[in-house]
Amino acid sequence: MDFETIKKLKDCCSREAALRVNVYPKQIASGKMTQEKADEEIRLMRLAAACFNKLLEGKAPEVQKQLFDVKPYEAPKKQSMYDGY
């Protein structure tokens, strides 16, 4: 994943967290969401933005950077009952 995409993801998460801060109070007031759920959802989105920001600042350990190196999924090859004969 390139840094431009990571920056876009960080910005998107930041916007979404701000949106949730503004929208969730109405959801709580109407009984559609609990305060605990709202707090957790906002916390998670802020955390996602912070993680992307650390990557952009070069502060994430190499292992964490590798977690974002998304590659196409390849299903494991099925073995035949004849394999190994």
Side-chain angles (χ1 to χ4, degrees), residues 43-60:
R43 184 187 73 80
L44 290 171
M45 195 53 63
R46 286 177 173 164
L47 180 60
C51 288
F52 289 125
N53 197 49
K54 281 191 181 279
L55 286 171
L56 291 169
E57 293 173 350
K59 295 180 181 176

Side-chain angles (χ1 to χ4, degrees), residues 20-36:
R20 291 176 182 198
V21 167
N22 290 318
V23 171
Y24 285 175
K26 293 173 191 163
Q27 299 286 320
I28 295 164
S30 70
K32 294 179 181 177
M33 179 179 274
T34 65
Q35 182 67 56
E36 293 78 18

